[in-house]
């Protein structure tokens, strides 16, 4: 079948619409979607340009375009409704119901969720990202007292991207510590981690997947061998169990799923959203 045109239209970044539309489209794996984002459509003229682009895409593809929109200004939604596409308004149906339920008028200000509406929270999130980089890969363990959590696991088990996601998305101060041959040899938690045991979460991974990842980094090395990968995973899991550290398998999880799993299992609460 031809590609189905998809438009993400927003008066701001469009991240909310893009996230939700991606979730919905993933439920149709046999359909080929051609997605186009139109952010910062914040004047009537720009909305009209979006309408023309949608209509043109529909004529060229022979498929009725899907249009996911987040507009605060209702007049923009009215202009967009003239497009020859299937419009999914992801904002106004909910705002009206909430206004009635709360007996309050909404601010009708665009960009409240992804903008810098609260400067303090925004800079805290940026500081959390800087912290994740500062305390990456076992660096600066003397600053672990600031950590919301510390990810522990064998090298290349997914700790760094997960820390960065937790920092950027939730504002958590996430450090990570890679287990080495020296750590495995002792059988106990590395010294810098012991005082922070209640904030540690472990990541494990399928040994064959770990072999693939390490091979990309150091092809042909003992570090990337299947035997070494299996050994590292077994010893990491033994350490987790011996010390009562919660852990999960990162093999088939996206960083978003890992982040939510860790947040839930550790009972962490984000004040950013």
């Amino acid at each position: 079948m031809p590609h189905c045109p998809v438009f993400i239209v927003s008066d701001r970044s469009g991240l909310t619409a893009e996230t939700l539309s991606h979730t919905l489209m993933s439920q149709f794996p046999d359909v080929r979607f051609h997605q186009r984002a139109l952010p910062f459509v914040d004047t009537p003229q720009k909305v009209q340009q979006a309408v023309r682009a949608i209509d043109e895409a529909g004529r060229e593809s022979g498929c009725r375009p899907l249009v996911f929109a987040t507009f605060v200004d209702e007049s923009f939604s009215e202009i967009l409704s003239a497009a020859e596409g299937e419009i999914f308004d992801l904002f106004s149906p909910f705002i009206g119901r909430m206004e009635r339920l709360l007996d309050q008028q909404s601010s009708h200000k665009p960009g409240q969720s992804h903008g810098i509406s609260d400067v303090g929270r925004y800079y805290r999130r940026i500081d959390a990202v800087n912290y994740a980089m500062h305390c990456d890969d076992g660096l600066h363990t003397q600053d672990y007292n600031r950590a919301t959590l510390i990810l522990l696991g064998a090298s290349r088990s997914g700790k760094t991207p997960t820390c960065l996601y937790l920092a950027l998305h939730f504002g958590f101060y996430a450090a990570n510590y890679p287990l080495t041959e020296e750590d495995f040899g002792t059988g106990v938690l590395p010294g810098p981690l012991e005082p922070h045991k209640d904030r540690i979460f472990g990541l494990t991974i399928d040994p064959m997947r770990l072999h693939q990842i390490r091979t990309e980094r150091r092809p042909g090395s003992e570090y990337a061998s299947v035997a070494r990968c299996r050994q590292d995973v077994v010893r990491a899991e033994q350490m987790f169990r011996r010390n009562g550290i919660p852990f999960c398998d990162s093999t088939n999880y996206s960083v978003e799923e890992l982040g939510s799993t860790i947040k839930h299992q550790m009972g962490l609460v984000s004040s950013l959203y």
Side-chain angles (χ1 to χ4, degrees):
M1 64 174 296
H3 288 84
C4 176
V6 177
F7 284 82
I8 312 297
V9 188
S10 176
D11 49 18
R12 294 299 293 175
S13 66
L15 292 175
T16 299
E18 194 163 358
T19 299
L20 181 53
S21 65
H22 174 76
T23 301
L24 294 171
M25 289 185 292
S26 69
Q27 298 300 311
F28 301 89
D30 295 329
V31 179
R32 296 187 297 170
F33 295 104
H34 183 269
Q35 185 172 314
R36 180 178 174 185
L38 300 178
F40 304 105
V41 178
D42 51 9
T43 67
Q45 293 74 23
K46 290 181 180 179
V47 182
Q48 290 166 352
Q49 290 174 3
V51 169
R52 290 193 290 271
I54 292 165
D55 292 348
E56 182 179 352
R59 289 191 296 271
E60 291 179 353
S61 67
C63 292
R64 185 174 176 83
L66 306 181
V67 183
F68 297 91
T70 49
F71 283 133
V72 171
D73 191 323
E74 293 181 1
S75 67
F76 290 1
S77 297
E78 292 176 3
I79 298 172
L80 187 67
S81 67
E84 296 177 359
E86 193 66 30
I87 312 296
F88 297 88
D89 189 329
L90 306 180
F91 197 83
S92 60
F94 303 99
I95 287 293
R97 290 174 62 186
M98 290 180 68
E99 286 179 336
R100 290 191 295 273
L101 178 65
L102 300 173
D103 194 25
Q104 291 283 330
Q105 287 293 311
S106 65
S107 67
H108 287 276
K109 293 181 179 178
Q112 292 294 90
S113 60
H114 295 291
I116 311 180
S117 55
D118 186 318
V119 175
R121 288 183 177 181
Y122 175 77
Y123 281 114
R124 179 188 167 189
R125 189 153 54 109
I126 298 305
D127 189 48
V129 172
N130 288 330
Y131 178 84
M133 298 171 66
H134 177 70
C135 292
D136 182 43
D137 210 25
L139 295 173
H140 305 107
T141 57
Q142 71 274 12
D143 292 330
Y144 278 4
N145 60 308
R146 295 183 61 204
T148 309
L149 73 158
I150 303 166
L151 293 188
L152 180 65
S155 173
R156 315 307 293 179
S157 56
K159 300 182 298 302
T160 295
T162 305
C163 281
L164 289 171
Y165 173 78
L166 288 167
L168 183 60
H169 193 73
F170 297 115
F172 295 146
Y173 288 75
N176 78 80
Y177 191 98
L179 291 169
T180 65
E181 280 292 306
E182 182 179 346
D183 299 322
F184 288 133
T186 66
V188 298
L189 277 179
L193 299 178
E194 187 61 41
H196 313 288
K197 186 176 178 180
D198 60 337
R199 285 178 281 174
I200 298 175
F201 191 93
L203 290 184
T204 187
I205 188 171
D206 178 79
M208 294 308 297
R209 176 58 183 149
L210 183 60
H211 163 65
Q212 293 173 346
I213 296 171
R214 288 184 175 182
T215 296
E216 292 176 1
R217 186 175 179 85
R218 298 183 192 171
S221 66
E222 190 274 335
Y223 162 81
S225 69
V226 173
R228 170 69 180 277
C229 291
R230 284 175 176 161
Q231 185 180 49
D232 284 2
V233 168
V234 168
R235 292 189 293 183
E237 292 182 3
Q238 287 175 342
M239 182 176 289
F240 299 153
R241 294 189 178 96
R242 187 182 303 117
N243 291 277
I245 294 171
F247 67 95
C248 71
D249 189 331
S250 67
T251 308
N252 297 311
Y253 275 20
S254 66
V255 291
E256 293 87 354
E257 291 169 321
L258 280 173
S260 294
T261 297
I262 293 167
K263 180 173 178 285
H264 172 70
Q265 290 196 26
M266 296 195 73
L268 301 176
V269 178
S270 171
S271 62
L272 295 182
Y273 299 104

